[in-house]
Amino acid sequence: PNDRYVIGSFQRDTNGSDLSTIKAQKGPDVFLAIVTGLARHIGRDRIHVVLAGPRRHWLRGQLKKYEIPFSYIGKEIERDDYPENILSLNQIAELTRTLDVNLVTSRWEGGPRALLESALCKTAVLSTDVGIARELLEPESIFTNISQAIELLIKDQQTQLLQKNIEAHFLRVSQNHSYEAVSKHWSNFYRSIVDE
């Protein structure tokens, strides 16, 4: 909906085929705490969550329980929906562009890839301080606790605080993490090994 603050999450929230246990690494419980807290502050009728991808059973159930408006992009299958609900990179990019903010709540990560996707899609992102977050994101796009995340989302909804970082994130990823940039680094690395 155009009149809602649209928050997205496209990472799975359950462990493997055990659809009742959260995948702690991805922090779906943190995501839930943030969106329910935000709903208490600005009202449920002002937000809308978009979920996509397989193994989103736990979060879908919790959003229903707390009456948080959401859309799930995929088939609602009661059993394990992997691989049926895997989306293509183009579909993920298209969905990412529809968001006001991509909310990354991981407790630990190697990436996460959602940061790169958000930057390249020119979508605002708010993330925990995991993986390459400090390397890619402006400081106000990183949160350390649930209360801070809620405050930042309220500010973004009111003043577009996180939206102002979109260009900086895009440039950083384009200059340092594109195929061209990374291939130069690897070429230089291999040359240095051969030259030794």
Side-chain angles (χ1 to χ4, degrees):
N2 290 331
D3 62 340
R4 305 280 179 94
Y5 185 66
V6 182
I7 304 164
S9 169
F10 307 140
Q11 304 178 23
R12 71 182 187 169
D13 53 68
T14 58
N15 275 321
S17 60
D18 177 1
L19 303 175
S20 63
T21 305
I22 66 166
K23 184 171 179 64
Q25 175 192 2
K26 300 295 183 183
D29 52 329
V30 176
F31 184 94
L32 180 68
I34 292 168
V35 297
T36 55
L38 183 63
R40 280 193 300 276
H41 281 83
I42 67 172
R44 283 182 179 81
D45 60 333
R46 298 292 305 135
I47 65 172
H48 193 88
V49 173
V50 178
L51 303 176
R55 298 177 177 163
R56 306 312 311 265
H57 298 71
W58 185 85
L59 199 46
R60 285 193 332 244
Q62 295 298 310
L63 292 173
K64 287 175 187 172
K65 176 181 172 182
Y66 289 100
E67 299 178 341
I68 302 295
F70 77 97
S71 296
Y72 175 65
I73 311 306
K75 297 176 192 159
E76 289 204 31
I77 301 169
E78 292 303 313
R79 62 172 171 69
D80 188 10
D81 59 350
Y82 182 89
E84 289 98 328
N85 277 325
I86 292 178
L87 300 178
S88 71
L89 290 177
N90 286 339
Q91 290 169 310
I92 292 292
E94 197 173 324
L95 285 172
T96 300
R97 288 186 198 102
T98 69
L99 306 175
D100 289 306
V101 65
N102 196 352
L103 180 56
V104 178
T105 56
S106 300
R107 288 181 168 91
W108 68 90
E109 283 282 358
R113 193 169 64 195
L115 300 182
L116 296 167
E117 293 165 346
S118 296
L120 290 173
C121 290
K122 294 192 173 183
T123 298
V125 62
L126 181 62
S127 176
T128 49
D129 189 5
V130 292
I132 58 174
R134 282 189 195 194
E135 185 181 325
L136 296 181
L137 304 179
E138 294 294 303
E140 62 268 14
S141 291
I142 299 173
F143 69 94
T144 56
N145 61 60
I146 291 166
S147 297
Q148 182 189 27
I150 293 167
E151 287 175 27
L152 288 167
L153 291 173
I154 290 169
K155 284 182 186 174
D156 186 55
Q157 198 252 342
Q158 295 170 343
T159 68
Q160 296 196 320
L161 171 75
L162 301 174
Q163 313 298 314
K164 295 172 186 171
N165 296 330
I166 289 173
E167 276 306 312
H169 297 165
F170 177 78
L171 287 172
R172 214 166 277 137
V173 170
S174 299
Q175 291 170 352
N176 301 311
H177 298 276
S178 67
Y179 175 79
E180 292 79 16
V182 172
S183 63
K184 286 178 190 174
H185 291 299
W186 281 111
S187 293
N188 291 338
F189 171 74
Y190 285 123
R191 264 194 227 97
S192 72
I193 293 173
V194 171
D195 290 345
E196 290 177 5

